[in-house]
Every structure is written in structure tokens, then in C-alpha cells.
Amino acid sequence: MRSLKKHKLKVDSQHSSEILKRLKKEYPLIKIALEFETPFQLLISTILSAQCTDARVNLVTKTLFKKYRKPEDYLLVSNEELEKDIFSTGFYHQKAKSIKNCCKMLIEIFDGEVPADFESLCSLPGVGRKTASVVAGNAFGIPAIAVDTHVKRLSNLMGFVDSDNPEKIEERLKEIFPSREWISLGHYLMSHGRKICIARRPKCCECVIGDLCPSYNPGHKKK
Ligand code: SF4
């Protein structure tokens, strides 16, 4: 993000709340794209979503969740069978291993339930801060910010941070925005990153926060 340093702004609360207000208006019906009915399903979906689109994960979990209903079910099959069932999400070897280890720990330590606190979620095999934040926020309503590639890129472009480090970005966003907005902020940034502030070709001329963004570039014209 070196090239953005010169654009970095001193972010005050008025500036950040105006950005939030406009994004909220732009994406009023925001919710997580992964389909789930229980915290356990969301945990599995989030593990599968690494390097994979949410649409693909939803396609796979539609049948996966009928076959595997609880942590024990994932341990009853061989690695090969589980790998085959999640194959199309990519990195299936590592994901199958993570899912199995995660389910084992859920059974052994958490009575087969997904823990409803951030630190315990982070202690699960294959679950990093991003996955833990997704589950904590969307399954339990615990204020959390999941820093994915969009959140990382937009936070830098908007001048909130000057860092590639997800933990630093998360920490800074939590300083800037009130905790009641953390879950939705992640959704807004992800949606804006997919629709308007697209990597390497942001549509600045269509952006609702163009006048507030230090990286605004009128050269990025509407096509
Ligand atoms: S003005 Fe451009 S760089 Fe800034 S958030 Fe909007 S699309 Fe992204």
C-alpha cells in the first residue's frame, strides 16, 4: 500500500460517521452472503470460504449440510470422503483437515457446541481472527470486524490505515467506529469493494463517498 501513503488523512469522527452514513444508505439490506441456519453451519461455511466465492460455498453446503448435521458426522467419514464432498471449494485437502480437527475439538472441549466467545473461537484449529469474527458477529451478534481482502483494501484507500496487517487494520477500525457498527461496517466495506471500489479498477466516478476519499481518482471513469 506504499503508493497510498501520500493520500493518508487524519480521520476524525465526523468524517468516519459520514462515510458510514452514506454506505449504510447505499447498502441498506446488507447481510452475510453465506447461507446458514446454525452457528456450526456458519463455522463450516466460513472455513470453506477461504479462497472461494460465497456462491460456490453455498452450492456445496446445500448438500453438505444434509449429510453432515453435527460435529460427530464429520468424524465418521474418511478424509478422502470429506475431501470429495468439499472438492469444488478448492484447497480441499487442508480444509478437510481443518474441519475434522475443528469438530474434534468442539466435541472434546465444547460439548459439541460452537463457543459463543471470540477467544474460544480463535482457539479452534483452522480458525483465525477473520473466521472467528465472521462467526462471532453473524451467528452470535458479538461486535467484531472480519478483515478480508476488501476490508483491507478499502480501509487503506479511504485513509483509515496505512497497513497490510489484518490485526492492525482491525484494531484501527475498532478505534474509529463504535462497536455497535463493527459487524455492519465489514458488510458495507465488502459490498462496496465488490460493487464499486473494485481492486485495480475502482469506479470512483460512481462512488458515494468520492468527495470524502483521499484516493479518489477521476481518471477511473464510468464505463
Ligand atoms: S473514491 Fe474511488 S478509491 Fe475511494 S472508495 Fe470510492 S471507488 Fe474506492
Side-chain angles (χ1 to χ4, degrees), residues 22-127:
R22 292 193 202 173
L23 291 177
K24 206 177 268 191
K25 198 171 164 206
E26 191 70 4
Y27 306 105
L29 298 173
I30 216 72
K31 78 173 193 59
I32 188 166
L34 292 172
E35 288 163 6
F36 68 98
E37 286 177 2
T38 65
F40 179 57
Q41 287 186 351
L42 180 58
L43 177 60
I44 299 297
S45 287
T46 312
I47 292 173
L48 292 176
S49 71
Q51 308 290 316
C52 182
T53 64
D54 292 339
R56 165 62 57 186
V57 172
N58 288 339
L59 204 64
V60 169
T61 56
K62 207 169 181 175
T63 46
L64 191 78
F65 291 160
K66 284 185 187 139
K67 178 172 175 182
Y68 305 89
R69 295 179 184 274
K70 50 190 192 306
E72 288 82 351
D73 296 336
Y74 288 92
L75 301 182
L76 289 174
V77 300
S78 65
N79 280 18
E80 291 71 27
E81 186 173 341
L82 181 54
E83 286 175 7
K84 207 171 138 208
D85 289 337
I86 62 170
F87 176 80
S88 65
T89 67
F91 300 94
Y92 54 91
H93 186 64
Q94 185 53 45
K95 287 178 184 175
K97 204 168 138 196
S98 293
I99 289 173
K100 276 183 165 267
N101 288 337
C102 185
C103 288
K104 194 161 177 273
M105 190 160 171
L106 285 179
I107 295 163
E108 288 172 359
I109 313 283
F110 299 105
D111 293 328
E113 298 292 329
V114 177
D117 73 276
F118 187 76
E119 296 311 322
S120 299
L121 282 165
C122 283
S123 73
L124 296 168
V127 176

Side-chain angles (χ1 to χ4, degrees), residues 154 157-158 192 196-197 202-204 207 209-210 213 215-217:
L154 270 67
L157 286 169
M158 292 176 186
H192 200 55
I196 299 292
C197 192
K203 301 175 183 173
C204 293
C207 183
I209 56 163
C213 178
S215 305
Y216 175 80
N217 182 350

